Amino acid sequence: MRLGWLLALLLATPAYADATLRDRIVTFSVLSYDDPAKPIFKGAAQTVTVGDGVEFGLNPGGPQNGVDVAPVRVDIGPSRIEVQFTQPMGRLMEAAFNGYVLEFVTDCALFDAAHVDAGFTNMAITDDDIAVHGGTLYINVQGLPYTNRSRFAIDLTVADCPLS
């Protein structure tokens, strides 16, 4: 009887993940706005499960309001996000927010902290360009110049949250 009760309790308990992004479902999109209620550009969202290798390869998808995306590769590790630009050169549009949104499926505050890895990053992006809301990470890269060697990384302190 006791074994049955213990088994029932274990099955009813939500699965908790180690403090990692691996095996989490994430949706990636590009968003630009001066007024959040009226986006200038809202890119098509892509959803994957975080694993080994590059999670997202973003290519131009067709302009909206005269704006299209700069091609990038996004690699998500257990507690780090690396973004590498793949186009020879350009400048990202200036707006109140012009950047990347990574929304992780979770019912809790997934991130305790987010910081730019200054040793890896070769763009003028700082911790002030990162915002965290629950399981969603916003990275504002508005107005920055880039080349196909431009990159940045964000190191994250990931909380123990149940896998959704």
Side-chain angles (χ1 to χ4, degrees):
M1 181 73 166
R2 230 178 197 175
L3 183 59
W5 177 81
L6 181 59
L7 184 59
L9 179 63
L10 288 173
L11 292 175
T13 304
Y16 279 82
D18 292 331
T20 182
L21 299 176
R22 188 156 315 275
D23 297 326
R24 292 190 178 275
I25 297 170
V26 59
T27 299
F28 174 83
S29 63
V30 175
L31 178 63
S32 299
Y33 62 78
D34 285 321
D35 175 353
K38 299 175 187 173
I40 299 165
F41 183 91
K42 188 171 184 177
Q46 300 175 35
T47 301
V48 301
T49 300
V50 176
D52 294 328
V54 172
E55 273 71 26
F56 302 102
L58 183 64
N59 292 307
Q64 293 177 32
N65 300 317
V67 178
D68 206 344
V69 300
V72 295
R73 282 190 299 263
V74 180
D75 185 10
I76 303 173
S79 62
R80 179 180 175 94
I81 297 170
E82 293 182 1
V83 177
Q84 170 77 46
F85 287 76
T86 61
Q87 186 171 321
M89 64 185 310
R91 179 175 289 277
L92 299 164
M93 182 184 78
E94 293 196 27
F97 181 88
N98 180 25
Y100 309 110
V101 180
L102 291 102
E103 185 175 3
F104 291 84
V105 176
T106 184
D107 292 330
C108 68
L110 184 58
F111 306 112
D112 291 329
H115 300 285
V116 173
D117 176 351
F120 177 88
T121 299
N122 63 8
M123 299 178 75
I125 184 171
T126 69
D127 290 353
D128 291 338
D129 298 314
I130 304 167
V132 174
H133 301 287
T136 304
L137 183 70
Y138 298 87
I139 306 166
N140 193 355
V141 292
Q142 69 87 23
L144 295 178
Y146 64 89
T147 70
N148 60 351
R149 294 187 178 163
S150 297
R151 66 181 189 237
F152 65 87
I154 299 176
D155 290 324
L156 302 157
T157 304
V158 181
D160 288 327
C161 285
L163 285 172
S164 298

